[in-house]
Amino acid sequence: MKIRGIGTRAFVGLAATTALLGTAIAPAQAAEHSNDSASGVAQKLQQAMDQLHFEQVLDLAPPTTTAQARTLAAQSVDKDAASPAQRAQRFSTLAAPAPISQQPQIDMSVIELDKNGRPLSSGTVLMSPQYPHGVVVPVDKNYHTDAVRWRQWDDAGWYTNHAQGTIDIVPGRESAPLDFMEPYPASVLKLMVNFGVLRLVDQGVISLDDTYDYQPTTPSSLCGDASSNTIRNYIDASITYSSNGASCALTKLLWDHNAVDGLNQTFQDLGLETMQLKETNPANGGHWSNPVTMTSLDTAKLLMIINGGSGKLWTTPNGTAVTSAALSPSSRQFFKSELAQQGFNDVLSTTSWCGADYPAPGIPQLTASRWIAADGTTTVDGDAYAHDVRPCNQAAQVTFAHKTGLVGNSGSDAGIVKSLPGKQGRSYIITMFSNLGDQYQDPNRPPTEPGAHPVAYTEKFAQLGKIMDQFEAAHSH
């Protein structure tokens, strides 16, 4: 059972961003203050998100259904304990789908990189019932913002409180001009887990080829039974096919070494203040719930470290220069290699469905050869995609080293895009968190073929991925 889960080159300075605090500004006004983003990637991102009309999706467990049915769709603890197939069966027993009750919740960022992996410019856009057409987030020269009051996801509150969160992720933002309830990250949280494990490798506490005996002391439907494997193999399973069991083992490994609190502090020290791996269970590594938080901008910056840009990448609010040395070169290379072998290419990229009329094509990535059978189809951890991916590999423009996430009310994707040799040059990081998991579907989604893996996300994400990739190709640095 798995979940799969601004501007151009001129930036508003910290003083200008701080001046926004306490000002009740409208979305259009926020965009005006966002570091000349009206002419760059942020404007393109906001326009594309608005034009794709995410509000057109259907809710398979709408508010008119029972509270019990909605609970099945949106668990607040161990959200992925039900598999996509199990959730699909539950949804099929409910009343007819209805249009989503309000504008979906989406947090998306793009950071453009130079040839040395250093940031050139960025765009971050939030969409919610408060910002139905999307709002550009003011970001300073260090790719940081204090203009948003980030709120923790609340499953029930999205319906009952007009998507207004009640628990702050970052303290002291009560007067921020923007207010946003951040979607649960789903399996993209495994980036944090694996970053923490590789930090232990770099410190010499463990080795990738050490065998770890995972012995949960309390049962968990999310995590499964005891297991034994090398740390290397657990990482591979966690990233490439999003094994929950492997990820629970790695999380428990962090707890065994008293490293969870230190990992959360490391994120704070790096200026990634919204990244928090909180309230997991040390007895089994499970209990993945809403206190586990990530935002698209901080996740993109973490991927910048993993990508390995040279020199200073940014300076934290307390004045610390951050470089890719936060991970060793060998750990970065291993991490990137694993992300490049992602088996589930079905959110911002949709090469798993190569040649299909639905879903629409997304980022034109290369599919890792390890998943491709003799007939060109892919099967990932038992999930069969009945489409020959070889034509898409022949037409591929980029590599996409990424991690996807999926639960009923969370759909996410985050990764590093780089041009293949001889293709139109682009290098960027793209990250997206939303509440549009497999509880939501497009009105035009065709029936799933018997034995095939269902399309779990709205195809609008793939369309958005393609739009932004074409923009980056046309404006490559």
Side-chain angles (χ1 to χ4, degrees):
M1 294 183 289
K2 52 187 172 295
I3 53 176
R4 307 205 316 273
I6 289 186
T8 52
R9 301 190 189 205
F11 296 88
V12 136
L14 272 172
T17 301
T18 303
L20 291 173
L21 299 181
T23 305
I25 58 175
Q29 291 173 304
E32 289 172 3
H33 288 277
S34 58
N35 55 50
D36 287 340
S37 55
S39 60
V41 60
Q43 182 198 29
K44 184 65 178 181
L45 182 57
Q46 183 273 327
Q47 290 175 343
M49 289 170 64
D50 188 29
Q51 292 167 2
L52 284 169
H53 294 288
F54 282 92
E55 75 280 358
Q56 294 175 348
V57 299
L58 300 178
D59 188 347
L60 303 184
T64 53
T65 61
T66 66
Q68 180 183 14
R70 292 201 305 276
T71 299
L72 293 175
Q75 299 159 301
S76 61
V77 175
D78 281 354
K79 290 171 176 283
D80 53 341
S83 70
Q86 290 169 325
R87 287 194 299 272
Q89 193 280 328
R90 291 169 177 175
F91 293 142
S92 69
T93 66
L94 303 179
I100 193 169
S101 61
Q102 57 192 355
Q103 189 71 27
Q105 206 88 356
I106 304 174
D107 169 18
M108 190 161 182
S109 291
V110 174
I111 296 182
E112 300 174 328
L113 306 174
D114 69 12
K115 64 180 180 180
N116 296 312
R118 292 189 297 257
L120 284 169
S121 55
S122 78
T124 295
V125 175
L126 305 177
M127 179 173 279
S128 70
Q130 289 73 37
Y131 316 115
H133 298 288
V135 59
V136 172
V137 175
V139 173
D140 68 28
K141 64 181 180 181
N142 289 303
Y143 303 88
H144 176 268
T145 183
D146 52 12
V148 183
R149 184 177 186 181
W150 301 107
R151 311 280 197 122
Q152 184 178 296
W153 181 258
D154 179 349
D155 299 83
W158 192 77
Y159 288 104
T160 61
N161 200 30
H162 196 52
Q164 190 74 44
T166 59
I167 300 175
D168 287 297
I169 296 174
V170 180
R173 297 286 175 79
E174 292 81 3
S175 298
L178 302 177
D179 196 323
F180 186 77
M181 186 169 72
E182 184 65 30
Y184 173 72
S187 268
V188 178
L189 69 83
K190 294 168 186 176
L191 292 179
M192 293 195 291
V193 172
N194 284 280
F195 179 82
V197 171
L198 288 173
R199 292 267 298 180
L200 291 182
V201 172
D202 288 350
Q203 294 161 13
V205 175
I206 57 175
S207 166
L208 284 175
D209 295 313
D210 287 346
T211 296
Y212 178 60
D213 293 319
Y214 171 62
Q215 298 289 335
T217 56
T218 58
S220 166
S221 58
L222 166 71
C223 299
D225 299 327
S227 60
S228 181
N229 212 328
T230 64
I231 293 169
R232 182 188 303 274
N233 287 343
Y234 278 131
I235 291 175
D236 179 75
S238 172
I239 293 176
T240 66
Y241 60 91
S242 206
S243 166
N244 288 340
S247 303
C248 286
L250 294 172
T251 305
K252 188 176 186 303
L253 173 67
L254 292 172
W255 278 111
D256 290 351
H257 290 280
N258 298 312
V260 173
D261 289 343
L263 174 61
N264 286 329
Q265 185 58 51
T266 294
F267 291 136
Q268 298 302 304
D269 295 342
L270 293 170
L272 308 177
E273 55 201 358
T274 65
M275 303 191 73
Q276 301 178 6
L277 187 68
K278 288 190 172 181
E279 298 190 18
T280 58
N281 190 343
N284 52 36
H287 195 275
W288 301 349
S289 56
N290 293 328
V292 178
T293 59
M294 309 171 77
T295 59
S296 70
L297 182 57
D298 281 352
T299 301
K301 291 166 73 175
L302 180 68
L303 287 167
M304 205 190 314
I305 291 173
I306 295 166
N307 185 51
S310 62
K312 184 181 72 174
L313 300 177
W314 67 84
T315 300
T316 69
N318 67 5
T320 302
V322 175
T323 72
S324 60
L327 276 183
S328 70
S330 59
S331 287
R332 292 198 307 269
Q333 185 57 43
F334 176 58
F335 210 153
K336 283 192 294 183
S337 174
E338 292 297 309
L339 291 170
Q341 296 178 66
Q342 173 61 239
F344 297 112
N345 302 305
D346 52 3
V347 193
L348 294 173
S349 63
T350 50
T351 52
S352 292
W353 309 98
C354 182
D357 293 331
Y358 178 94
I363 295 172
Q365 72 159 95
L366 188 72
T367 297
S369 61
R370 68 182 279 183
W371 307 112
I372 304 175
D375 63 356
T377 63
T378 62
T379 300
V380 184
D381 194 33
D383 290 328
Y385 296 86
H387 294 269
D388 187 345
V389 303
R390 291 172 295 184
C392 288
N393 268 8
Q394 292 172 357
Q397 296 283 313
V398 300
T399 60
F400 187 25
H402 66 125
K403 183 75 195 74
T404 63
L406 176 69
V407 296
N409 62 351
S410 176
S412 50
D413 200 356
I416 304 162
V417 180
K418 292 186 178 182
S419 293
L420 289 165
K423 303 301 181 181
Q424 202 165 5
R426 64 271 218 190
S427 179
Y428 64 95
I429 293 168
I430 187 166
T431 55
M432 183 279 300
F433 296 102
S434 79
N435 73 316
L436 296 180
D438 57 4
Q439 180 179 332
Y440 303 93
Q441 70 177 38
D442 296 315
N444 62 320
R445 191 183 81 171
T448 301
E449 299 174 11
H453 186 69
V455 177
Y457 306 82
T458 170
E459 69 173 350
K460 295 179 188 297
F461 289 134
Q463 293 168 326
L464 182 54
K466 183 176 181 180
I467 289 170
M468 295 312 299
D469 183 73
Q470 290 177 331
F471 175 83
E472 291 301 324
H475 297 81
S476 58
H477 301 281

